[in-house]
Amino acid sequence: MQLNENAQIDTSQVDDRRGSGGGGIGGIPIPIGGGRGGIVGLVVAVLVALLGGGFGLNAALDGGGDSTGDNTSLEQKCSADDALQQLDCRNTLYVNSIQAYWQAELPRAFGEQYQPSKTVFFSQAVNTACGGADSGVGPFYCPADDLVYIDLSFYRVLADQLGAEGEFAQPYVLAHEYGHHVQDLLGTEAQMRRQQQRDPGNANALSVKLELQADCYAGAWARNATGTADAGGQKIFTSISEQDVQQAIDTAEKIGDDAISERANRPVNPDEFTHGSSAQRKEWFTRGYSSGDPKACDTFGNG
Ligand SMILES: [Zn+2]
């Protein structure tokens, strides 16, 4: 993967809330997959269980690293010559690419206008319209405030604890979360929730369909990412290789529900899956990538 060093990084698409003390909400229960307004858009299930309540992640943060803000604002940092060496600036550029894709694609594929959504960078804990969350839940989308949330130290967890290495895991994760934003805009998410209420016995199976669709949307973005540009028309990616795509597929497999259960030494029970098996996640990402068309992502079988 090669990012274009001439591309302008639009930091207005990110809300940098790192180093703001986390809002003092650690320990508040997280309404994952709960009733209305709960967090639905996780990229990975049962991460909290895997990490022992998120403490593993906090320990990693305390170990120091690159994710806490200094006094340089993100905007200044990301306009410097070495911006692409910086994890947060690269991630901002990934967000720019993903949103540029949907800006053009949503009207074309679904006849709907895209509404931009910011990504919130936080450290350790954050307050959202869906409730308080800590880093232990991993990146997520909150439909109540239309924001994507990520503690960038998640990527270290992904690499060190889940074995998903490689830079392209990062845009894959973000593209998955923006897939949930698109589902929110299209009403897919609200429709799925109503179905869950009518048919509680199928709640997990419906969640899996929503998640696999987000993976498929991520694949559609990956296929078209080299066609995305900044506000001035400069390409964001100069190249994406087969190896990059393989890294995304590898990540999708590593965070399959069965893979996570096995890693956490828990029994693998398909009835408890909320995100899909490794094989399913690979299949749907690949379907999005191969077709390059989000209309091929009809996991609900309505098409
Ligand atoms: Zn998700």
Side-chain angles (χ1 to χ4, degrees):
M1 178 192 78
Q2 201 71 44
L3 286 163
N4 179 4
E5 51 189 36
N6 297 319
Q8 287 277 344
I9 302 175
D10 180 2
T11 54
S12 75
Q13 295 184 17
V14 164
D15 181 358
D16 189 4
R17 295 191 206 161
R18 293 169 298 175
S20 59
I25 54 164
I28 293 177
I30 307 142
I32 303 167
R36 266 185 75 79
I39 293 166
V40 292
L42 301 169
V43 73
V44 51
V46 298
L47 187 60
V48 181
L50 176 68
L51 300 176
F55 296 118
L57 189 58
N58 287 337
L61 277 168
D62 292 339
D66 46 31
S67 80
T68 46
D70 52 27
N71 292 327
T72 318
S73 76
L74 191 64
E75 187 180 355
Q76 285 173 305
K77 191 177 176 182
C78 298
S79 52
D81 284 345
D82 67 345
L84 293 182
Q85 312 303 318
Q86 310 297 329
L87 177 76
D88 44 9
C89 296
R90 286 199 308 277
N91 271 262
T92 304
L93 201 50
Y94 301 149
V95 168
N96 296 164
S97 169
I98 294 159
Q99 297 212 95
Y101 167 65
W102 284 113
Q103 196 80 49
E105 185 63 17
L106 205 63
R108 192 200 68 78
F110 298 109
E112 298 279 344
Q113 286 304 309
Y114 181 72
Q115 309 291 334
S117 156
K118 287 188 185 189
T119 289
V120 177
F121 291 166
F122 72 98
S123 51
Q124 303 202 28
V126 69
N127 240 326
T128 82
C130 297
D134 78 23
S135 302
V137 301
F140 62 93
Y141 174 74
C142 169
D145 57 23
D146 303 324
L147 296 171
V148 171
Y149 291 87
I150 185 167
D151 181 331
L152 295 172
S153 67
F154 171 72
Y155 297 132
R156 238 177 307 158
V157 174
L158 204 55
D160 298 348
Q161 300 195 41
L162 301 177
E165 290 171 358
E167 177 77 12
F168 211 73
Q170 300 180 16
Y172 157 65
V173 165
L174 291 168
H176 173 98
E177 297 307 342
Y178 275 93
H180 287 306
H181 176 55
V182 166
Q183 291 170 325
D184 190 13
L185 293 175
L186 292 175
T188 318
E189 193 265 337
Q191 203 178 354
M192 192 270 321
R193 277 199 187 267
R194 284 194 297 272
Q195 276 179 274
Q196 282 182 321
Q197 275 156 13
R198 278 199 305 270
D199 186 6
N202 258 324
N204 283 348
L206 289 161
S207 167
V208 166
K209 289 174 198 265
L210 194 77
E211 294 298 334
L212 294 176
Q213 187 173 64
D215 280 340
C216 184
Y217 286 167
W221 164 79
R223 179 59 175 266
N224 294 287
T226 50
T228 60
D230 69 10
Q234 291 272 0
K235 270 179 176 290
I236 291 175
F237 290 92
T238 48
S239 68
I240 290 173
S241 67
E242 277 308 311
Q243 194 189 350
D244 296 320
V245 176
Q246 198 50 52
Q247 282 173 2
I249 291 171
D250 183 54
T251 305
E253 288 189 288
K254 292 275 170 50
I255 59 179
D257 287 325
D258 47 347
I260 298 268
S261 293
E262 278 165 15
R263 209 167 258 270
N265 286 320
R266 291 152 56 106
V268 175
N269 180 357
D271 290 341
E272 290 176 358
F273 287 0
T274 55
H275 282 65
S277 67
S278 297
Q280 287 175 312
R281 297 196 73 161
K282 175 184 180 174
E283 181 198 334
W284 282 96
F285 177 90
T286 304
R287 209 181 275 216
Y289 182 78
S290 308
S291 65
D293 182 358
K295 291 197 300 302
C297 298
D298 184 18
T299 55
F300 291 92
N302 297 327

